[in-house]
């Protein structure tokens, strides 16, 4: 148990989980995001070639791609469904099999096989009713604005609320429990794929319980790893290997105190049947894993398979960008942003800033600074965060947030100085 300082304030535990890329829900997320990326690549290529459809006379344009791809899997089959608008044909069967192969489901002994699984394609064109509000916003259609500003022309691809969150628990300004759970899941996949633990199989989950004192993380109290494995390996060996090759390296790299923590590995004693054979999978069923592990709120919409006109994705990324820059600027120790949109409307219906009493300047100044520094119209978000690139397969696993890859533009703290200046700070 973590040592609690004398005269400390409130002490509590908070737990978050992550899953590996072989989890059936994550397999589906990765298929959906890879299909999106392939459509973006294909459309960009056709645009470069000056392609015009002989049937409709419409030219290829990467800005016109619309996708809402859902994937479902169970024993022996993957079904891809959804609505798209694109000039670029993609080979769904090939994409699905390549994704499944890359994860590691390559034989019947794994319970799923990229070569022999059935692939069903139920993708169809996007509704024109939805498309028209994105193509020409409510503000332009009603004459509320002239449309001279290009960011006023495109409406949100759906209605809803989106949240972004940041706190100073970790160097990436993510809550400690979800950040550590992701790093364990990432490492679990690494030791499987690099041959360190060849008996591991693709499906797995991690869970980390962190002790907080005065709202600050002081140590890890419990660690849970459930990992699919070959039938000949016993749980005692798996637990020893998890401690040596997964838990210890991750916590050492992150300088985390886990002395005396309870460690649980495969508590049922056996996890041989996994992946789509062990459970059904569906796109968008791991939205808390994808975001903040329950520490921040969630509007309910998933990310995977959706192009950036869908504010479920783009506005959630933008909200994280805003929240992270507020914390990075030293304006607050933690921050949550809520954005609300109406389908077909360009401007957000509301922008809410919550600093949970941790602010270092007046919250009204922070709210004003956000309105000055960030343009949260969907088209402006897409441009600012460069969300027309085929990068979304990279986001699927181990967190859409808190991974500072060059492709993850929403993780940049490039607006911190502007926010400080807007709040009147040097």
């Amino acid at each position: 148990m973590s040592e609690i300082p004398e005269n400390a304030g409130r002490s509590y535990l908070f737990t978050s989980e992550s899953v590996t890329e072989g989890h059936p829900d994550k397999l589906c997320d990765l298929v959906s995001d890879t299909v999106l990326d392939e459509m973006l690549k294909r459309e960009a290529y056709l645009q470069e070639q000056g392609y015009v459809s002989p049937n409709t006379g419409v030219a290829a344009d990467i800005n016109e791609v619309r996708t809402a791809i859902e994937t479902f899997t169970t024993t022996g089959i993957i079904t891809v469904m959804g609505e798209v608008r694109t000039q670029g044909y993609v080979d769904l069967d090939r994409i699905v099999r390549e994704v499944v192969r890359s994860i590691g489901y390559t034989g019947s002994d794994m319970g799923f096989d990229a070569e022999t699984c059935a692939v069903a394609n139920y993708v169809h064109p996007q509704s024109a009713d939805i498309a028209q509000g994105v193509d020409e916003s409510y503000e332009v259609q009603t004459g509320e604005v002239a449309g001279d500003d290009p960011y006023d022309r495109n409406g949100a691809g759906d209605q809803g609320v989106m949240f972004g969150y940041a706190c100073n628990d970790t160097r990436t300004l993510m809550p400690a429990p979800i950040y550590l759970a992701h790093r364990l899941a990432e490492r679990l996949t690494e030791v499987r794929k690099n041959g360190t633990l060849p008996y591991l199989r693709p499906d797995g989950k991690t869970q980390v319980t962190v002790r907080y004192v005065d709202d600050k993380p002081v140590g890890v109290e419990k660690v849970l790893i459930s990992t699919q494995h070959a039938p000949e390996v016993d749980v005692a060996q798996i637990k020893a290997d998890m401690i040596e090759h997964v838990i210890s390296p991750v916590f050492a790299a992150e300088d985390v105190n886990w002395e005396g923590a309870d460690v649980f590995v495969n508590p049922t004693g056996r996890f041989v049947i996994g992946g789509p054979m062990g459970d059904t999978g569906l796109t968008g069923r791991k939205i808390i894993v994808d975001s903040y592990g329950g520490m921040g709120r969630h509007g309910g919409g998933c990310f995977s398979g959706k192009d950036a006109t869908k504010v479920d994705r783009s506005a959630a990324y933008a909200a994280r960008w805003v929240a992270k820059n507020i914390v990075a600027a030293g304006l607050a120790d933690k921050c949550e942003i809520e954005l609300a949109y109406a389908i077909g409307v360009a401007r957000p219906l509301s922008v809410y800033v919550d600093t949970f009493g941790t602010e270092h300047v007046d919250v009204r100044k922070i709210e004003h600074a956000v309105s000055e520094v960030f343009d949260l119209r969907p088209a402006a978000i897409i441009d600012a965060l460069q969300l027309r690139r085929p990068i979304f397969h990279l986001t699927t696993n181990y967190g859409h947030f808190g991974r500072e890859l060059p492709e993850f533009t929403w993780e940049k703290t490039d607006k911190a100085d502007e926010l400080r200046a807007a709040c009147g700070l040097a």
Side-chain angles (χ1 to χ4, degrees), residues 85 126-137 141 153 155 344:
R85 185 175 79 179
Q126 184 191 46
S127 161
D129 291 348
I130 295 174
Q132 68 179 0
V134 179
D135 295 340
E136 187 174 272
S137 71
Q141 290 185 44
R153 294 176 195 161

Side-chain angles (χ1 to χ4, degrees), residues 159-162 311 315 338-342 347-352:
Q159 71 174 56
V161 296
M162 300 83 209
V311 283
E338 185 205 42
L339 305 176
Y341 292 86
R347 297 176 185 276
L349 303 185
S350 66
V351 180
Y352 174 63

Side-chain angles (χ1 to χ4, degrees), residues 31-44:
V31 168
S32 296
D33 276 336
T34 304
V35 171
L36 164 59
D37 280 351
E38 289 298 315
M39 287 185 174
L40 290 171
K41 289 178 186 177
R42 183 65 180 164
E43 191 85 16

Side-chain angles (χ1 to χ4, degrees), residues 41-154:
K41 289 178 186 177
R42 183 65 180 164
E43 191 85 16
Y45 170 77
L46 292 175
Q47 184 176 343
E48 289 173 3
Q49 300 302 309
Y51 175 81
V52 178
S53 169
N55 299 319
T56 63
V58 176
D61 183 351
I62 195 171
N63 293 306
E64 298 301 314
V65 172
R66 307 280 188 268
T67 68
I69 301 293
E70 306 283 351
T71 304
F72 167 80
T73 187
T74 187
T75 306
I77 187 170
I78 294 180
T79 303
V80 185
M81 306 159 282
E83 303 79 46
V84 303
R85 185 175 79 179
T86 179
Q87 301 284 347
Y89 167 81
V90 297
D91 186 345
L92 274 171
D93 187 272
R94 174 187 61 80
I95 292 168
V96 169
R97 295 186 193 282
E98 286 180 354
V99 167
V100 176
R101 194 179 301 115
S102 74
I103 290 171
Y105 287 119
T106 55
S108 58
D109 60 322
M110 299 283 181
F112 205 75
D113 187 350
E115 307 306 321
T116 61
C117 67
V119 178
N121 179 355
Y122 292 98
V123 175
H124 58 86
Q126 184 191 46
S127 161
D129 291 348
I130 295 174
Q132 68 179 0
V134 179
D135 295 340
E136 187 174 272
S137 71
Y138 171 85
E139 292 95 327
V140 172
Q141 290 185 44
T142 60
E144 184 178 316
V145 298
D148 298 331
D149 185 337
Y151 294 150
D152 277 334
R153 294 176 195 161
N154 301 119

Side-chain angles (χ1 to χ4, degrees), residues 371-386:
S371 68
E372 277 196 357
V373 173
F374 294 96
D375 188 338
L376 297 170
R377 291 172 290 179
I381 292 170
I382 290 170
D383 274 2
L385 299 181
Q386 304 167 53

Side-chain angles (χ1 to χ4, degrees), residues 50-334:
Y51 175 81
V52 178
S53 169
N55 299 319
T56 63
V58 176
D61 183 351
I62 195 171
N63 293 306
E64 298 301 314
V65 172
R66 307 280 188 268
T67 68
I69 301 293
E70 306 283 351
T71 304
F72 167 80
T73 187
T74 187
T75 306
I77 187 170
I78 294 180
T79 303
V80 185
M81 306 159 282
E83 303 79 46
V84 303
R85 185 175 79 179
T86 179
Q87 301 284 347
Y89 167 81
V90 297
D91 186 345
L92 274 171
D93 187 272
R94 174 187 61 80
I95 292 168
V96 169
R97 295 186 193 282
E98 286 180 354
V99 167
V100 176
R101 194 179 301 115
S102 74
I103 290 171
Y105 287 119
T106 55
S108 58
D109 60 322
M110 299 283 181
F112 205 75
D113 187 350
E115 307 306 321
T116 61
C117 67
V119 178
N121 179 355
Y122 292 98
V123 175
H124 58 86
Q126 184 191 46
S127 161
D129 291 348
I130 295 174
Q132 68 179 0
V134 179
D135 295 340
E136 187 174 272
S137 71
Y138 171 85
E139 292 95 327
V140 172
Q141 290 185 44
T142 60
E144 184 178 316
V145 298
D148 298 331
D149 185 337
Y151 294 150
D152 277 334
R153 294 176 195 161
N154 301 119
D158 204 351
Q159 71 174 56
V161 296
M162 300 83 209
F163 289 91
Y165 183 82
C167 62
N168 56 14
D169 280 8
T170 62
R171 58 184 175 79
T172 61
L173 305 186
M174 285 288 286
I178 187 63
Y179 177 78
L180 294 173
H182 281 322
R183 301 295 72 77
L184 291 176
E186 204 169 34
R187 177 66 178 169
L188 185 58
T189 296
E190 181 183 352
V191 297
R192 171 175 65 87
K193 287 189 167 182
N194 69 17
T196 301
L197 300 177
Y199 62 79
L200 294 180
R201 290 178 173 173
D203 199 355
K205 289 186 174 184
T206 63
Q207 192 167 290
V208 177
T209 300
V210 172
R211 168 74 64 182
Y212 281 79
V213 176
D214 292 327
D215 280 336
K216 299 296 180 185
V218 297
V220 170
E221 297 247 339
K222 301 180 193 299
V223 182
L224 168 60
I225 297 180
S226 296
T227 181
Q228 189 185 12
H229 59 88
E232 66 272 12
V233 187
D234 64 51
V235 71
Q237 179 184 345
I238 299 171
K239 182 172 182 178
D241 286 341
M242 290 299 102
I243 292 172
E244 179 181 354
H245 296 291
V246 178
I247 300 171
S248 294
V250 167
F251 288 168
E254 299 297 337
D255 193 25
V256 169
N257 169 30
W258 66 292
E259 184 179 356
D262 296 324
V263 176
F264 302 89
V265 174
N266 287 8
T268 66
R270 182 178 169 88
F271 186 2
V272 173
I273 299 172
M277 188 175 181
D279 196 4
T280 58
L282 184 66
T283 297
R285 212 158 53 177
K286 285 292 175 282
I287 58 175
I288 301 304
V289 170
D290 286 343
S291 53
Y292 307 100
M295 186 74 80
R297 285 175 283 193
H298 198 294
C302 83
F303 307 146
S304 292
K306 297 175 180 177
D307 77 276
T309 65
K310 312 293 190 299
V311 283
D312 281 339
R313 182 167 221 157
S314 55
Y317 289 1
R320 162 66 176 170
W321 184 38
V322 175
K324 186 173 183 180
N325 274 272
I326 287 171
V327 176
L331 304 181
D333 294 338
K334 64 175 71 172

